[in-house]
């Protein structure tokens, strides 16, 4: 599983088993991601998704 928000994360997202683009990610990253987070970087998006995926 990988999380990213900008174009420099493209390869990481594509090569991971499950790639998440942050809600505020660049459009090119959103196109290749498996999922898009419900929250952005400024609203605890990463923490929210980790808790949602692994603790609930």
């Amino acid at each position: 599983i990988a999380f990213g928000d900008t174009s420099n994360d493209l390869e990481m997202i594509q090569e991971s088993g499950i790639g998440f683009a942050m809600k505020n990610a660049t459009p090119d990253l959103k196109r290749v991601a498996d999922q898009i987070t419900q929250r952005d970087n400024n609203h605890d998006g990463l923490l929210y998704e980790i808790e949602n995926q692994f603790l609930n």
Side-chain angles (χ1 to χ4, degrees):
I1 190 165
F3 293 84
D5 64 346
T6 60
S7 299
N8 69 322
D9 297 320
L10 279 167
E11 186 176 349
M12 175 181 66
I13 293 295
Q14 290 173 319
E15 295 298 321
S16 68
I18 301 172
F20 279 85
M22 300 304 293
K23 183 177 181 178
N24 60 307
T26 55
D28 58 341
L29 189 69
K30 286 181 176 179
R31 281 192 296 274
V32 301
D34 298 303
Q35 296 185 44
I36 299 172
T37 63
Q38 295 179 34
R39 298 180 182 178
D40 63 24
N41 291 350
N42 297 322
H43 296 95
D44 299 323
L46 179 60
L47 177 61
Y48 178 82
E49 287 300 331
I50 289 172
E51 287 177 343
N52 192 39
Q53 294 293 318
F54 298 105
L55 300 177
N56 294 328

